[in-house]
Amino acid sequence: MRIACASLLALATTLPPIAVQVRDPWVAEPVAGRRATAAYFVLENRGSDEVRLTRCETAAAEVTEIHRVTERGGMMSMGRVDQVAVPARGRVSFEPGGYHVMLIDLRKPLAAGDRVALRLAFSDGRELVVDAPVRRREAR
Amino acid sequence: MGLRRFRVAFTGAFLVAACRPAVDPSVAGLRGGDFTLTSHEGKRVRLSDSRGYVRILFFGFASCPDVCPTTLTRLVRVRELLGADAGRMRVLFVSVDPDRDTPEALRSYLAYFKLDVMGLTGTRAEIDRVVEAYGASYEIEPSGSAAGPNVGHTTELLVIGPDDRLVTSLSQGENAEEVAAAVRRAL
């Protein structure tokens, strides 16, 4: 017991501080009648090692997937990606026309003003839960 | 002296040519032209039915969760920027995904946006003719995603003048102000 406690203490003290921060999370209000939408945020890595986002889950949708819009020869295409690397002391923006988390088969309709909890899991074993407001898209 | 005058004249001619090109390079080589598709109200409509308006035509699909809503939201802003001229513009959203985009699916999708937009669908062959004439392209590939097949498509906004002629093509990178300015030039 004493050894186990000591090991746990050792583990806790050797874990590095949380390197990645999630900023400005939001979920786009789904287009009326649609059961899918997208979540966006900015990942900031303050650590000295690359960290990868490996999962983003929410109770608001049956399925979540990380997607990326890419352009090839003028054609915009959306495809699923397994993970997204955030470089050491770097940042990655999830934004319209780029990376986003697809919320597929919403469990209930979402409208502007609602809030959605997103659980993000990273390659360093950390998990972060953020509270994302649902907003209408804004024109650029 | 003579040489200088020539230079001025030449520069002037160049400026006029640059301001009013005979063919916008962005649409050089594209046929454009009339077509018939089925509207979100289930009616057969032709491009020429809306002659007299500036049309913004673009390709997309109603299950598109990111790029198409972003474009439509930008066009809502364009409409606001146009003020009194907004009534002289029509938006045409041509689906490249007719298997899922029935007139009813397009109607419910487009009703979300505060925009005078007509959804257009049709048979695959009808859509492909419009895609080719307007220099667009798309691809539909099976995917491992729960969101269904991957649908890729070009995202240019094609500006069609009141005389049904293709005027210019705007890239996805153009903001609402730039799109509104292009519509005004085409009026």
Side-chain angles (χ1 to χ4, degrees):
Chain A
M1 181 65 185
R2 195 176 296 162
I3 293 167
C5 284
S7 309
L8 266 179
L9 188 66
L11 188 65
T13 51
T14 53
L15 264 180
I18 293 175
V20 175
Q21 297 206 335
V22 184
R23 299 205 179 278
D24 305 324
W26 66 285
V27 171
E29 182 180 70
V31 175
R34 298 283 138 189
R35 296 194 61 217
T37 190
Y40 305 96
F41 40 75
V42 178
L43 299 179
E44 266 184 20
N45 182 1
R46 295 181 170 187
S48 50
D49 295 306
E50 175 188 284
V51 177
R52 284 166 282 117
L53 173 71
T54 54
R55 262 191 350 267
C56 176
E57 294 174 341
T58 175
E62 295 284 346
V63 181
T64 54
E65 296 174 1
I66 304 171
H67 280 235
R68 184 183 198 183
V69 175
T70 49
E71 186 181 347
R72 183 163 41 90
M75 182 143 40
M76 303 286 262
S77 205
M78 193 181 87
R80 187 177 177 183
V81 294
D82 289 334
Q83 49 191 3
V84 178
V86 189
R89 296 189 183 82
R91 57 193 278 159
V92 174
S93 288
F94 281 55
E95 59 191 6
Y99 282 115
H100 53 275
V101 175
M102 284 282 293
L103 313 187
I104 302 162
D105 289 338
L106 296 171
R107 294 205 167 102
K108 64 182 179 83
L110 291 175
D114 290 345
R115 302 194 81 88
V116 172
L118 303 172
R119 177 182 293 274
L120 292 83
F122 296 92
S123 55
D124 61 0
R126 301 283 195 177
E127 287 196 355
L128 291 173
V129 177
V130 295
D131 182 40
V134 178
R135 294 205 311 250
R136 282 186 82 102
R137 291 172 186 276
E138 287 172 12
R140 170 165 76 72
Chain B
M1 189 65 187
L3 184 60
R4 186 183 293 170
R5 206 175 296 135
F6 170 77
R7 271 191 191 145
V8 170
F10 180 80
T11 308
F14 177 78
L15 282 174
V16 169
C19 291
R20 291 192 159 274
V23 179
D24 187 303
S26 67
V27 294
L30 301 184
R31 291 202 310 277
D34 206 1
F35 56 79
T36 304
L37 289 170
T38 302
S39 79
H40 64 260
E41 293 174 326
K43 295 177 186 158
R44 296 291 283 171
V45 294
R46 298 166 67 94
L47 172 71
S48 51
D49 292 344
S50 53
R51 186 172 294 158
Y53 294 91
V54 170
R55 273 66 48 90
I56 292 190
L57 182 149
F58 70 105
F59 297 89
F61 63 110
S63 311
C64 174
D66 185 83
V67 175
C68 300
T70 302
T71 302
L72 285 158
T73 302
R74 183 177 316 137
L75 291 173
V76 172
R77 179 70 188 134
V78 170
R79 177 179 159 275
E80 292 166 0
L81 290 169
L82 286 172
D85 288 333
R88 300 168 69 189
M89 176 186 84
R90 294 278 184 276
V91 176
L92 306 175
F93 177 93
V94 179
S95 170
V96 294
D97 187 17
D99 294 345
R100 287 186 288 179
D101 288 349
T102 60
E104 173 54 29
L106 286 176
R107 192 191 63 73
S108 65
Y109 179 76
L110 295 172
Y112 176 79
F113 301 94
K114 292 186 177 66
L115 191 65
D116 187 355
V117 49
M118 182 181 284
L120 294 167
T121 186
T123 65
R124 178 70 65 196
E126 286 172 340
I127 288 168
D128 286 352
R129 279 197 291 275
V130 182
V131 165
E132 192 196 344
Y134 284 84
S137 55
Y138 70 95
E139 60 186 15
I140 299 178
E141 296 175 334
S143 76
S145 166
N150 283 342
V151 182
H153 57 91
T154 46
T155 56
E156 279 80 15
L157 300 178
L158 298 148
V159 181
I160 300 168
D163 59 356
D164 291 350
R165 279 199 309 177
L166 189 54
V167 175
T168 189
S169 162
L170 306 170
S171 78
Q172 179 74 6
E174 311 267 359
N175 65 26
E177 283 78 9
E178 290 161 332
V179 177
V183 171
R184 281 218 168 88
R185 283 197 296 274
L187 282 171

